[in-house]
Amino acid sequence: VVGIEYNTTISDRRFKGIEKGSDSGYGFNILNCKANEVQKFFYFESSIDLLSFKLMNKLPEKSIMISMTGLKECVIKNTLEKFGDNSDKKVFICVDNDLAGINFCNSLKGKYNNMKFIMPGTVKDWNEQLKKNSVKSKLRIIGLINPAVKNNKKLARQMER
């Protein structure tokens, strides 16, 4: 264990945080293969969003889902370095559908190879999307300038490639 992340889902008592002494440069993660086999990286603002997304979507083979515990590019950089050569890796940024999430995506454009931006459809975050529709998520993929709505089948094809 390199750290602990706190995040509540109770609406009247919200708090988030990282346990003192935690290494905030790596994040809570779920891996479905050996570390040296990872080909697809999915980054989330929180562990709650990561788990909500996982409940709605089948994780492709050779993938890792990582909580950044906020909008922290250092987590992306550190984990990509930890898992070796990044030239052929696919990176999915799955952040909140709010101004901070959009600004974070805009700040990352062009910095990493094979990067795609995924946001929940009409709600703020992946936990809200899970509550709204626990069968399938409606995803918004951010384009270079303006957001464009794409369907789940196209995202599934992108995730599998």
Side-chain angles (χ1 to χ4, degrees), residues 35-90:
N36 64 346
E37 296 175 348
V38 176
Q39 292 297 311
K40 296 174 182 139
F41 296 77
F42 293 80
Y43 292 93
F44 299 86
E45 279 192 51
S46 72
S47 55
I48 296 296
D49 289 332
L50 180 158
L51 294 169
S52 297
F53 185 91
K54 175 125 176 46
L55 286 171
M56 293 183 290
N57 299 281
K58 181 181 178 233
L59 189 61
E61 291 182 18
K62 298 184 178 181
S63 297
I64 187 170
M65 301 174 81
I66 304 159
S67 168
M68 298 181 287
T69 316
L71 298 169
K72 299 176 182 161
E73 186 178 354
C74 68
V75 175
I76 298 169
K77 184 177 181 259
N78 290 346
T79 53
L80 288 174
E81 286 175 1
K82 180 179 178 181
F83 290 96
D85 177 34
N86 303 315
S87 58
D88 62 339
K89 313 276 186 190
K90 295 195 184 316

Side-chain angles (χ1 to χ4, degrees), residues 74-110:
C74 68
V75 175
I76 298 169
K77 184 177 181 259
N78 290 346
T79 53
L80 288 174
E81 286 175 1
K82 180 179 178 181
F83 290 96
D85 177 34
N86 303 315
S87 58
D88 62 339
K89 313 276 186 190
K90 295 195 184 316
V91 177
F92 298 88
I93 307 298
C94 310
V95 296
D96 289 359
N97 186 9
D98 59 11
L99 184 59
I102 291 167
N103 288 340
F104 183 71
C105 290
N106 286 331
S107 75
L108 295 174
K109 287 180 183 168

Side-chain angles (χ1 to χ4, degrees), residues 2-3 8 21 37 55 60 126 158:
V2 295
T8 65
E37 296 175 348
L55 286 171
W126 294 107
Q158 291 174 346

